[in-house]
Amino acid sequence: MLEWAEVPFEIMGADTERVIPCAFTALKKLLYILPADKALAIQQKSNSNKPIIAADTIVVLQNDIIGKPKSREDAVNILTRLAGNQHRAVTGVVILNAGKETSFANVTAVQFHPFDQSAN
Protein backbone atom coordinates (compact mmCIF):
# COMPACT_ATOMS: atom_id res chain seq x y z
CA MET A 1 0.00 0.00 0.00
CA LEU A 2 2.84 2.37 0.75
CA GLU A 3 4.26 1.87 -2.72
CA TRP A 4 0.82 2.37 -4.27
CA ALA A 5 0.44 5.62 -2.28
CA GLU A 6 3.95 6.64 -3.42
CA VAL A 7 5.20 6.90 0.16
CA PRO A 8 8.95 6.25 0.33
CA PHE A 9 9.82 3.34 2.62
CA GLU A 10 12.56 0.87 3.45
CA ILE A 11 12.06 -2.80 4.27
CA MET A 12 14.14 -4.04 7.19
CA GLY A 13 14.13 -7.55 8.61
CA ALA A 14 13.67 -8.01 12.33
CA ASP A 15 15.97 -10.48 14.04
CA THR A 16 13.36 -11.82 16.42
CA GLU A 17 12.47 -15.38 17.28
CA ARG A 18 8.87 -16.27 16.49
CA VAL A 19 7.88 -18.50 19.36
CA ILE A 20 4.25 -19.49 19.79
CA PRO A 21 3.60 -21.52 22.93
CA CYS A 22 1.60 -24.66 22.11
CA ALA A 23 -1.06 -23.90 24.71
CA PHE A 24 -1.27 -20.16 23.99
CA THR A 25 -4.92 -19.17 24.19
CA ALA A 26 -4.79 -15.37 24.31
CA LEU A 27 -4.73 -14.79 20.55
CA LYS A 28 -5.35 -11.05 20.89
CA LYS A 29 -2.30 -10.70 23.13
CA LEU A 30 -0.16 -12.79 20.78
CA LEU A 31 -1.23 -10.62 17.83
CA TYR A 32 0.25 -7.66 19.67
CA ILE A 33 3.38 -9.32 21.08
CA LEU A 34 4.79 -10.72 17.83
CA PRO A 35 4.68 -7.51 15.73
CA ALA A 36 5.64 -5.37 18.75
CA ASP A 37 8.80 -7.46 19.19
CA LYS A 38 9.62 -6.90 15.52
CA ALA A 39 8.95 -3.15 15.72
CA LEU A 40 11.13 -2.74 18.81
CA ALA A 41 13.96 -4.76 17.23
CA ILE A 42 13.86 -2.53 14.13
CA GLN A 43 13.72 0.60 16.28
CA GLN A 44 16.86 -0.46 18.17
CA LYS A 45 18.64 -1.45 14.94
CA SER A 46 17.76 1.64 12.91
CA ASN A 47 18.51 4.51 15.31
CA SER A 48 16.04 6.55 13.30
CA ASN A 49 12.97 8.64 14.06
CA LYS A 50 11.15 7.29 11.01
CA PRO A 51 7.82 5.54 11.59
CA ILE A 52 8.04 1.75 11.90
CA ILE A 53 5.29 -0.61 10.74
CA ALA A 54 5.59 -4.25 11.80
CA ALA A 55 3.18 -7.10 11.23
CA ASP A 56 2.80 -10.80 11.88
CA THR A 57 0.19 -13.22 10.56
CA ILE A 58 -1.08 -16.30 12.33
CA VAL A 59 -3.17 -19.06 10.77
CA VAL A 60 -5.95 -20.40 13.02
CA LEU A 61 -7.86 -23.58 12.21
CA GLN A 62 -10.66 -24.61 14.58
CA ASN A 63 -9.09 -22.58 17.43
CA ASP A 64 -5.65 -24.18 16.85
CA ILE A 65 -2.77 -21.90 15.93
CA ILE A 66 -0.96 -23.38 12.93
CA GLY A 67 2.74 -22.59 13.13
CA LYS A 68 5.20 -22.35 10.27
CA PRO A 69 6.13 -25.75 8.88
CA LYS A 70 9.39 -27.20 10.18
CA SER A 71 9.89 -29.51 7.21
CA ARG A 72 8.37 -30.50 3.88
CA GLU A 73 6.47 -33.32 5.60
CA ASP A 74 5.11 -30.86 8.17
CA ALA A 75 4.04 -28.52 5.34
CA VAL A 76 2.16 -31.35 3.63
CA ASN A 77 0.46 -32.23 6.94
CA ILE A 78 -0.57 -28.60 7.49
CA LEU A 79 -1.95 -28.26 3.95
CA THR A 80 -3.82 -31.54 4.40
CA ARG A 81 -5.43 -30.19 7.59
CA LEU A 82 -6.39 -26.96 5.82
CA ALA A 83 -7.74 -28.69 2.70
CA GLY A 84 -11.52 -28.55 2.45
CA ASN A 85 -11.76 -26.34 5.53
CA GLN A 86 -12.14 -22.69 6.33
CA HIS A 87 -9.44 -21.14 8.49
CA ARG A 88 -8.60 -17.63 9.63
CA ALA A 89 -5.51 -15.64 8.69
CA VAL A 90 -5.14 -13.14 11.52
CA THR A 91 -2.66 -10.30 11.08
CA GLY A 92 -1.52 -8.09 13.93
CA VAL A 93 0.09 -4.74 13.13
CA VAL A 94 2.08 -2.38 15.36
CA ILE A 95 3.07 1.14 14.30
CA LEU A 96 5.70 3.09 16.20
CA ASN A 97 5.79 6.79 15.37
CA ALA A 98 7.00 9.82 17.31
CA GLY A 99 7.06 7.94 20.60
CA LYS A 100 3.52 6.65 20.17
CA GLU A 101 2.41 3.10 19.53
CA THR A 102 -0.69 2.06 17.63
CA SER A 103 -1.83 -1.52 17.13
CA PHE A 104 -4.66 -3.28 15.35
CA ALA A 105 -5.54 -6.64 13.89
CA ASN A 106 -7.40 -7.91 10.85
CA VAL A 107 -9.06 -11.29 10.37
CA THR A 108 -9.53 -12.86 6.95
CA ALA A 109 -11.56 -16.02 6.42
CA VAL A 110 -9.84 -18.33 3.94
CA GLN A 111 -11.54 -21.32 2.34
CA PHE A 112 -9.26 -24.07 1.04
CA HIS A 113 -10.61 -26.36 -1.64
CA PRO A 114 -10.19 -30.08 -1.03
CA PHE A 115 -7.24 -31.63 -2.82
CA ASP A 116 -6.04 -35.11 -3.60
CA GLN A 117 -2.82 -35.75 -1.70
CA SER A 118 -2.09 -38.79 -3.85
CA ALA A 119 -1.47 -36.39 -6.76
CA ASN A 120 1.60 -35.16 -4.86
Side-chain angles (χ1 to χ4, degrees):
M1 277 196 272
L2 294 174
E3 187 174 356
W4 176 79
E6 298 181 2
V7 174
F9 64 95
E10 177 183 1
I11 297 172
M12 297 178 71
D15 298 324
T16 60
E17 192 172 336
R18 188 175 194 252
V19 178
I20 300 173
C22 294
F24 202 90
T25 56
L27 183 60
K28 286 183 181 181
K29 187 173 182 181
L30 186 60
L31 286 169
Y32 166 76
I33 291 171
L34 295 173
D37 285 350
K38 289 180 179 181
L40 293 172
I42 294 296
Q43 187 177 53
Q44 291 172 354
K45 184 165 80 170
S46 71
N47 293 322
S48 170
N49 291 331
K50 294 178 183 177
I52 297 170
I53 303 171
D56 202 286
T57 299
I58 296 170
V59 173
V60 181
L61 175 65
Q62 300 169 348
N63 295 324
D64 288 334
I65 295 173
I66 307 296
K68 292 186 179 185
K70 296 170 182 65
S71 65
R72 184 180 191 288
E73 181 182 349
D74 191 27
V76 170
N77 289 336
I78 290 170
L79 291 172
T80 301
R81 284 183 66 196
L82 295 173
N85 293 303
Q86 186 177 77
H87 66 274
R88 294 175 288 154
V90 190
T91 301
V93 178
V94 170
I95 302 169
L96 302 179
N97 188 23
K100 295 182 181 178
E101 184 176 302
T102 304
S103 63
F104 60 92
N106 184 58
V107 179
T108 302
V110 179
Q111 179 68 43
F112 258 51
H113 288 282
F115 69 90
D116 182 5
Q117 189 177 354
S118 65
N120 185 7

